[in-house]
Amino acid sequence: MTTTPIPRPAHRRHVEATGTDPRARGVARGEQLRDVLPAAIETYDRLFALGGISAATVRGDAERALDDIGRFRPGARAEIEGIAHGSGTDLWRVAALNARTEILARSATVPPGECTTLVRRTAGADGPARTFGVQTWDWHVELSGAWHTQEIRGGRHGFVGLTEDGILGKIGVNGAGLALHFNILGHVRDGVGGVPVHVLAAIVLEEAGSVAEAVELVRSAPLASSGSFALFDGADAVLLDLSPAGVFPVEARGGSLVRTNHFLTPAPAMDEKTWLYQPDSGERYDFVRARLDRAPAATPEELAAVLVTGEGEPAVTCLPDLDKPLGQRWASLATVALDPATRTARVLDGTPADIGSRDWRVLTAG
């Protein structure tokens, strides 16, 4: 196994878009991404092709997903249309980016990424209870240059966080103090035919003012693919299994929520694509859960330290194996810490092991 440092730009892009008109916000996003979207599209084209998904199928899936988005939230479709216009990109291309998880579900050779998420609620012996979260975002190292931080304002709630180039949302916190961490899961019925999970994440951050509102919104969405949202605010926290079989909450244990990449509730687990993630996901889950059981984290810094792993340990801190081919070179592209109390997202352009040697980018939604 030959690992290498993850290539990173000298200055990570930050995209800002403000306005009550979703299409205008999309145009502003697209204008800021005009020079970089072609590289993201080209890499995904390679991943789709590697998975045996033809260009015609990608386009058909993308256009179908765009129609599904439009039926559920016309504003989200308008924002995607704006990104295409502002960047000078064909609309179906931007739609394919937003539905990349659903399209890649067709592939048997390009498995999804491997992220680890932790959410902790402290009792607050000397003050009020506090909830905070941290996660790695692990994805193909070839896309290490194809993501950015963002600040989006003008909807019901402004929000900040991290997403991929051309994609409406992923991980973040909004001005109401609702935080969302994001993981991908795998179900045999995954595919196109509902609201893409990345688009749903952006809708939740823009519209929901609490965990309860977020859960209600998620349950109202037509889903045809799988994922996990860890949702938390100042008073509540919940971990959701999202799947074509339904939406299922996961019980907290010891004040902590832990998520890797397998279902934690029985109904969707019955039809899980276990071959995609196991045994890796279970090993990472057991490892970080045991760490938290031994020493419950009391601060965001202590929680982030739980994600640092090394030689001989499950790859929570993930470095790419260059001996493997395209589609299997996993890397921790970013580490993200969310704090609802301060409406703050801290984004590290690095792995958890880089904490202390690289600077956090601090974004505030409130």
Side-chain angles (χ1 to χ4, degrees), residues 168-295:
L168 292 188
K170 187 186 294 287
I171 304 160
V173 63
N174 69 20
L178 174 73
L180 185 155
H181 284 296
F182 183 105
N183 292 57
I184 293 298
L185 310 176
H187 190 276
V188 295
R189 286 163 45 197
D190 285 344
V192 175
V195 179
V197 286
H198 282 86
V199 176
L200 183 58
I203 293 169
V204 167
L205 286 170
E206 180 176 336
E207 295 186 11
S210 66
V211 168
E213 287 184 9
V215 172
E216 182 179 2
L217 193 163
V218 170
R219 289 191 183 280
S220 75
L223 289 173
S225 60
S226 300
S228 168
F229 291 170
L231 299 162
F232 51 107
D233 55 26
D236 199 5
V238 65
L239 186 62
L240 298 179
D241 277 352
L242 314 179
S243 77
V247 176
F248 304 90
V250 179
E251 295 294 328
R253 182 174 124 190
S256 300
L257 296 170
V258 175
R259 167 66 76 191
T260 50
N261 297 101
H262 60 280
F263 290 108
L264 298 173
T265 56
M270 290 175 59
D271 291 309
E272 184 165 33
K273 293 180 178 178
T274 54
W275 59 91
L276 286 180
Y277 297 111
Q278 299 293 16
D280 172 79
S281 181
E283 291 170 349
R284 283 183 288 121
Y285 181 92
D286 291 343
F287 184 83
V288 296
R289 173 58 77 183
R291 277 187 167 178
L292 284 173
D293 287 346
R294 288 193 302 270

Side-chain angles (χ1 to χ4, degrees), residues 16-48:
E16 297 183 14
T18 300
T20 57
D21 177 39
R23 191 177 191 281
R25 288 202 307 267
V27 170
R29 287 178 181 250
E31 289 173 344
Q32 294 169 75
L33 296 170
R34 176 180 286 269
D35 294 337
V36 296
L37 265 186
I41 291 168
E42 189 273 336
T43 301
Y44 273 110
D45 280 349
R46 292 166 62 202
L47 291 171
F48 294 146

